[in-house]
């Protein structure tokens, strides 16, 4: 039995919500105290404090979302983010940088690599690790992807000609953060979703042309227009409703997660186009979602509250 004073550890565990501490606090406390006694420590190390604070905040933030929903969103985000990253690398990874401030003879028209290739390459590494089942390494790669996305965004503000556009880096960074919501265990579903998403994006690219002289990522950014993402999100939501009607719950959960991911992209696009419009779109999404949840809960209560008539077979 441990003889270490547990007060410092109990203070560190306050980062977790009280409901979580009631269920798991004593078990975690016992593990931490046993490890501290074995190492001859009488208080948490700096690494333990940081880890407890980080995980406690994650539990508080994610407590509103059930674990199956988090896993579905993470799977959909991993697949969609990978598809977008690869399409960007193929269509916009290399291109000419035209500076309209310089005369034609002063232009360097040699294809140049976009800084966005860093984030796209890390996305590819992370997704391959996910498909291989290397969860810990994949999460490290995804964290690096998010950091690279922020760095490329800052660099693009300093040197706009280098690109990519803000919508590109913001979208890839948001997808990386959403994938970190939960470990991606449904590897087959992630692979299939990535293949289908890539096919849709390739079809979109082959169906539209961009005028000569447009920025190098003009083709790719057309995917992220408000019209395209809004239409795609609506179509996938209809598909999610149909799968729910036929009671394919696992498939419906994943399809709804994909629809939610594209809805987030649509809101990002609206906000970057016009903040007021983006906030209005967010309000509409929240209102419709609240009504849908209310109808679902009312139906569930009605289902649990109904009983067969007395004497019915």
């Amino acid at each position: 039995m441990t003889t270490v004073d547990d007060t410092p550890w109990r203070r560190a565990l306050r980062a977790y919500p009280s409901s979580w501490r009631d269920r798991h606090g004593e078990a975690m406390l016992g593990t931490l105290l046993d490890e501290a006694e074995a190492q001859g420590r009488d208080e948490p190390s700096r690494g333990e404090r940081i880890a407890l604070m980080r995980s406690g905040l994650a539990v508080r933030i994610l407590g509103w979302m059930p674990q199956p929903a988090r896993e579905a969103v993470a799977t959909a985000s991993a697949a969609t983010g990978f598809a977008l990253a690869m399409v960007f690398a193929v269509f916009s990874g290399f291109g000419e940088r035209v500076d309209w401030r310089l005369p034609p003879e002063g232009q360097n028209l040699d294809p140049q690599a976009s800084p966005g290739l860093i984030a796209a390459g890390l996305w590819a590494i992370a997704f391959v690790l996910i498909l291989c089942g290397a969860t810990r390494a994949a999460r490290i790669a995804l964290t690096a992807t998010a950091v690279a996305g922020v760095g490329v965004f800052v660099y693009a503000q300093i040197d706009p000609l280098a690109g990519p556009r803000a919508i590109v880096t913001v979208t890839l960074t948001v997808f990386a953060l959403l994938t970190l919501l939960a470990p991606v265990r449904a590897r087959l579903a992630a692979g299939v979703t990535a293949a289908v998403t890539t096919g849709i994006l390739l079809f979109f690219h082959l169906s539209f042309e961009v005028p000569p002289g447009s920025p190098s990522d003009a083709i790719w950014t057309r995917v992220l227009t408000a019209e395209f993402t809004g239409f795609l999100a609506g179509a996938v939501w209809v598909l999610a409703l149909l799968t729910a009607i036929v009671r394919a719950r696992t498939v419906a959960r994943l399809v709804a997660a994909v629809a939610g991911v594209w809805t987030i992209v649509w809101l990002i696009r609206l906000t970057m186009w016009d903040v007021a419009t983006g906030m209005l779109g967010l309000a509409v999404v929240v209102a419709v979602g609240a009504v849908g949840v209310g109808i679902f809960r009312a139906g569930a209560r009605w289902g649990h509250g109904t009983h067969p008539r007395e004497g019915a077979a």
Side-chain angles (χ1 to χ4, degrees):
M1 181 176 179
T2 180
T3 58
V4 180
D5 182 14
D6 63 358
T7 303
W9 280 271
R10 290 189 181 276
R11 285 200 296 265
L13 286 175
R14 290 176 184 172
Y16 291 87
S18 58
S19 58
W20 188 95
R21 295 199 304 269
D22 292 340
R23 295 193 303 270
H24 311 290
E26 293 302 321
M28 177 173 278
L29 183 63
T31 302
L32 293 171
L33 291 176
D34 290 340
E35 183 177 352
E37 188 175 27
Q39 297 177 358
R41 293 185 288 108
D42 57 0
E43 62 179 14
S45 64
R46 179 179 299 179
E48 278 183 334
R49 293 182 187 275
I50 294 175
L52 290 173
M53 181 177 297
R54 183 178 63 246
S55 57
L57 290 176
V59 171
R60 288 182 181 274
I61 294 172
L62 301 177
W64 59 272
M65 184 183 294
Q67 182 66 21
R70 290 206 301 270
E71 292 180 354
V73 170
T75 302
S77 300
T80 309
F82 169 76
L84 286 172
M86 292 304 96
V87 170
F88 169 78
V90 171
F91 287 95
S92 307
F94 295 88
E96 301 173 354
R97 300 179 188 172
V98 179
D99 189 348
W100 302 110
R101 297 170 297 181
L102 300 176
E105 59 273 10
Q107 302 289 347
N108 180 10
L109 300 181
D110 295 332
Q112 301 180 53
S114 169
L117 285 173
I118 299 174
L122 288 171
W123 251 115
I125 294 172
F127 194 72
V128 169
L129 291 172
I130 287 173
L131 295 182
C132 293
T135 304
R136 185 182 297 272
R139 294 177 74 82
I140 294 174
L142 286 167
T143 303
T145 302
V147 173
V150 175
V152 171
F153 173 80
V154 174
Y155 181 75
Q157 309 313 305
I158 299 173
D159 184 8
L161 292 178
R165 297 182 182 180
I167 182 62
V168 176
T169 51
V170 169
T171 302
L172 293 180
T173 302
V174 168
F175 278 156
L177 296 175
L178 290 175
T179 307
L180 288 170
L181 286 174
V184 180
R185 299 186 178 90
R187 291 178 285 175
L188 178 60
V192 172
T193 304
V196 172
T197 304
T198 303
I200 293 173
L201 298 180
L202 288 177
F203 174 79
F204 183 80
H205 277 304
L206 296 175
S207 302
F208 293 91
E209 295 182 358
V210 175
S214 299
S216 60
D217 58 350
I219 299 177
W220 192 85
T221 53
R222 290 195 67 161
V223 173
L224 299 177
T225 60
E227 294 81 5
F228 176 78
T229 54
F231 173 79
L232 184 58
V236 180
W237 275 119
V238 172
L239 182 60
L241 177 62
L242 294 176
T243 53
I245 290 175
V246 299
R247 297 186 179 182
R249 296 182 179 180
T250 303
V251 177
R253 187 182 298 117
L254 178 61
V255 175
V258 173
V261 164
W262 280 107
T263 302
I264 292 172
V265 178
W266 176 66
L267 291 174
I268 292 174
R269 176 74 273 185
L270 283 181
T271 303
M272 298 187 72
W273 174 58
D274 183 74
V275 176
T277 304
M279 294 300 100
L280 178 61
L282 177 61
V284 171
V285 170
V286 171
V288 173
V291 172
V293 170
I295 293 174
F296 175 80
R297 290 183 174 178
R301 286 195 298 268
W302 178 83
H304 286 298
T306 55
H307 302 282
R309 291 177 298 172
E310 186 176 355

